[in-house]
Amino acid sequence: MELATTEIQDILSQLGIKTINNGASTGSKWLNTKGEEIHSFSPVDGNKIASVKSATESDYETVVLKAQEAFQTWRTWPAPKRGEVIRQLAEKIREYKEPLGKLVSYEMGKSLQEGLGEVQEMIDICDFAVGLSRQLYGLTMHSERPGHRMYEQYHPLGIVGIISAFNFPVAVWNWNTALAWVCGDVCVWKPSEKTPITALACQFITKQVFEANEVPEGVSGLVIGGAEIGKLMANDPRIPLVSATGSTRMGKSVGAAVGQRLGRSLLELGGNNAIIITSSADLTVVVPGAVFGAVGTAGQRCTSTRRLIIHESLYETVKEVLGKAYRQLKIGNPLDQNNHVGPLIDKDAVTNYLHAIEQAKKEGGKIVVEGGVLSGEGYESGCYVKPCIIEAENHFAIVQHETFAPILYLMKYSGDVHQAIALQNGVPQGLSSAIMTNSLKESEAFLSNAGSDCGIANVNIGTSGAEIGGAFGGEKETGGGRESGSDSWKIYMRRQTNTINYSDSLPLAQGIKFDL
């Protein structure tokens, strides 16, 4: 196993990872994959972390068949017993929080604080799932027929296919698996080929807990590969639910394929998130919310703040204050906690960042804080860029498009809050939104059914930083899916209505007579 640095060797050693070779697993058993090698390069320093042989179609078939077999047993385990396994998984993740958080930071490029925060999300969703294991409630209904009782119950679906993105390489997987496993489903995971090593780490951690509890082999499947694996999953009728996180383009492809076979898809796609800053907004709240929302994870969150819609009375003030805040940002190695902004995931992302800035200029945008690629000592990977602020109009083509980079567009409104809401809603995406205001009327207008059209709408906090307890997801080109808290668990189950006749006759519904 060729590793980049002594530090990464120490991280993997702390995680108990001694060898990295193959990219497919049925749980505790690793397949002898013979696909092309996937090389994981850290955007932090440009060094290769390790290489993994990707899964082939034959490997995929092996993992799915084992998952089908495991489901026959796993679904019969009482839900609280499944919950106990997830409780132990949460404890194991707690043990590995620091090295796993460091690995997330090094392989993906987000700050160490955010890497540790992502691992905490894994712990939180496991804790949520443990409680859920005793709360998979259905309803009871009164029958119109005498001597009859009606109720509904939920049953596991089967195999849940998970396609995750690079920006949250561990949390999104666990958002799905923790709930799916408690519901009695089994999972097959295709992680991003840009972050395969964190996926292997998750499999190693899960393996320890599942083996100790004699969980059936196949409940936690892994297939590392490119788009071809995702296509197999999307077109596979043996997988009733495919949960896919990524670009809108990818989501449309997955949704079409799954819909063609009448399967279910849970899509978490792009965001083009805005914060409305009204004339009554408190700038002490605005600045941290806007800056973190725009530059956190180097603008590579689906909930990153892309647009600020500012009332004309505060526009110049906000522009000046943000400019000062941006000039204080420290950009560098994300494992150094003194830095605020780490690198983009790779050089393709840098290219997209530069193209977006140029396109904004061509459409009439005015630079407020200059962007650009950083070079020199500490920036050898070529993936570090400067967070950029551009004055723009909402109708610009590039503003309507989500760019996964730290570019923030400023725009002005002069009317009432409804004008600002129209601008906020005037993009194809509908994930997260926020309003900064001290007016009850403005906040309620924003939250009303004529307000924000996003799946997430916040008052006096930014667009990013969703909590586990609420359902996460968005509308329009964001895909309509919901993950994490609330009653998101229902997507992982099939609903069944039951009617029991305990009388001595068979009356029909709606008073129908059918005498023989």
Side-chain angles (χ1 to χ4, degrees):
M1 176 170 64
E2 180 186 351
L3 296 174
T5 64
T6 302
E7 183 174 19
I8 196 64
Q9 289 179 25
D10 290 342
I11 291 172
L12 294 178
S13 176
Q14 291 175 52
L15 289 166
I17 301 176
K18 298 179 181 178
T19 59
I20 295 177
N21 295 308
N22 303 321
S25 168
T26 56
S28 59
K29 296 178 182 177
W30 293 89
L31 307 186
N32 185 24
T33 53
K34 300 185 184 299
E36 294 183 0
E37 281 195 324
I38 294 176
H39 306 292
S40 176
F41 289 92
S42 171
V44 174
D45 53 23
N47 290 325
K48 185 169 79 170
I49 301 174
S51 299
V52 180
K53 288 184 179 177
S54 62
T56 63
E57 184 172 350
S58 175
D59 298 323
Y60 169 83
E61 186 68 18
T62 299
V63 172
V64 170
L65 287 174
K66 182 56 70 172
Q68 281 187 302
E69 180 184 329
F71 177 61
Q72 304 306 314
T73 302
W74 180 244
R75 66 181 177 180
T76 66
W77 284 35
K81 183 179 178 181
R82 297 192 296 257
E84 168 59 18
V85 176
I86 305 307
R87 186 195 66 78
Q88 293 178 36
L89 179 60
E91 292 303 306
K92 187 63 68 175
I93 296 170
R94 283 182 172 93
E95 291 179 29
Y96 289 119
K97 180 177 177 178
E98 185 173 350
L100 183 57
K102 285 182 177 178
L103 180 59
V104 168
S105 179
Y106 187 67
E107 186 172 37
M108 184 268 150
K110 64 175 59 177
S111 72
L112 178 57
Q113 298 97 315
E114 292 180 83
L116 294 170
E118 182 173 348
V119 178
Q120 185 61 47
E121 285 192 34
M122 300 174 72
I123 296 167
D124 293 343
I125 195 63
C126 284
D127 288 348
F128 179 90
V130 174
L132 180 64
S133 69
R134 295 179 183 272
Q135 300 180 74
L136 300 173
Y137 299 135
L139 298 172
T140 59
M141 290 76 72
H142 289 281
S143 173
E144 68 181 52
R145 291 167 285 184
H148 285 59
R149 181 169 67 86
M150 296 176 65
Y151 72 98
E152 67 178 17
Q153 58 181 329
Y154 289 84
H155 297 296
L157 279 174
I159 302 175
V160 175
I162 303 167
I163 301 172
S164 63
F166 74 86
N167 59 333
F168 280 85
V170 297
V172 170
W173 164 75
N174 208 194
W175 280 9
N176 284 276
T177 54
L179 299 191
W181 286 333
V182 158
C183 289
D185 298 315
V186 299
C187 298
V188 175
W189 180 26
K190 190 208 91 65
S192 169
E193 59 270 35
K194 296 181 180 182
T195 51
I197 311 306
T198 49
L200 293 175
C202 290
Q203 194 75 352
F204 273 92
I205 293 169
T206 305
K207 172 180 179 288
Q208 296 176 50
V209 176
F210 279 25
E211 285 185 338
N213 287 274
E214 299 182 341
V215 171
E217 183 75 23
V219 171
S220 177
L222 175 69
V223 278
I224 296 175
E228 67 282 356
I229 296 294
K231 289 178 181 177
L232 288 172
M233 191 177 286
N235 287 285
D236 193 338
R238 297 169 297 181
I239 300 182
L241 171 64
V242 176
S243 174
T245 303
S247 69
T248 296
R249 177 187 56 79
M250 179 278 293
K252 287 180 177 179
S253 174
V254 170
V258 176
Q260 183 68 27
R261 59 179 176 84
L262 299 181
R264 296 190 198 180
S265 56
L266 194 172
L267 302 176
E268 297 288 359
L269 312 176
N272 196 346
N273 316 296
I275 298 177
I276 296 171
I277 302 172
T278 74
S279 58
S280 68
D282 182 348
L283 292 186
T284 61
V285 175
V286 167
V287 174
V291 174
F292 176 73
V295 308
T297 322
Q300 296 173 113
R301 292 183 174 216
C302 51
T303 55
S304 291
T305 304
R306 310 289 178 200
R307 299 173 292 143
L308 290 188
I309 302 168
I310 310 166
H311 191 269
E312 61 179 359
S313 63
L314 284 181
Y315 185 82
E316 293 300 328
T317 301
V318 171
K319 184 169 71 170
E320 180 182 356
V321 172
L322 286 176
K324 289 179 180 178
Y326 267 52
R327 284 186 281 274
Q328 297 175 42
L329 292 173
K330 295 179 180 178
I331 306 167
N333 188 325
L335 291 165
D336 181 347
Q337 296 192 48
N338 292 313
N339 292 322
H340 303 105
V341 184
L344 293 177
I345 185 64
D346 54 27
K347 291 183 178 178
D348 286 342
V350 174
T351 299
N352 291 335
Y353 158 85
L354 293 173
H355 169 76
I357 293 173
E358 289 306 309
Q359 186 61 33
K361 289 179 181 177
K362 288 179 182 178
E363 294 190 59
K366 297 179 181 179
I367 301 295
V368 175
V369 175
E370 192 74 43
V373 182
L374 296 169
S375 59
E377 185 177 355
Y379 304 125
E380 291 85 357
S381 70
C383 296
Y384 291 87
V385 301
K386 293 188 286 186
C388 177
I389 300 178
I390 303 174
E391 291 183 289
E393 298 292 339
N394 205 54
H395 65 266
F396 287 0
I398 193 62
V399 174
Q400 294 283 309
H401 173 78
E402 180 193 38
T403 302
F404 237 46
I407 301 174
L408 180 63
Y409 299 112
L410 306 186
M411 54 198 68
K412 185 188 302 182
Y413 78 99
S414 57
D416 61 15
V417 71
H418 298 286
Q419 181 191 11
I421 292 171
L423 289 170
Q424 135 70 38
N425 293 344
V427 292
Q429 308 84 358
L431 179 53
S432 187
S433 59
I435 188 170
M436 300 293 187
T437 179
N438 282 329
S439 165
L440 177 63
K441 289 183 178 180
E442 289 177 336
S443 64
E444 289 297 326
F446 179 72
L447 298 175
S448 73
N449 59 16
S452 170
D453 64 1
C454 294
I456 299 169
N458 299 326
V459 177
N460 291 330
I461 64 171
T463 59
S464 58
E467 295 184 29
I468 287 300
F472 179 90
E475 303 301 324
K476 301 189 294 188
E477 287 193 357
T478 302
R482 292 297 185 275
E483 292 174 329
S484 191
S486 185
D487 64 350
S488 299
W489 61 271
K490 291 180 178 179
I491 188 69
Y492 302 96
M493 305 195 85
R494 59 183 177 87
R495 184 191 303 234
Q496 185 181 79
T497 300
N498 307 113
T499 305
I500 299 171
N501 178 8
Y502 59 91
S503 71
D504 296 325
S505 60
L506 184 59
L508 302 179
Q510 291 85 42
I512 295 174
K513 301 293 184 181
F514 188 73
D515 297 323
L516 291 176

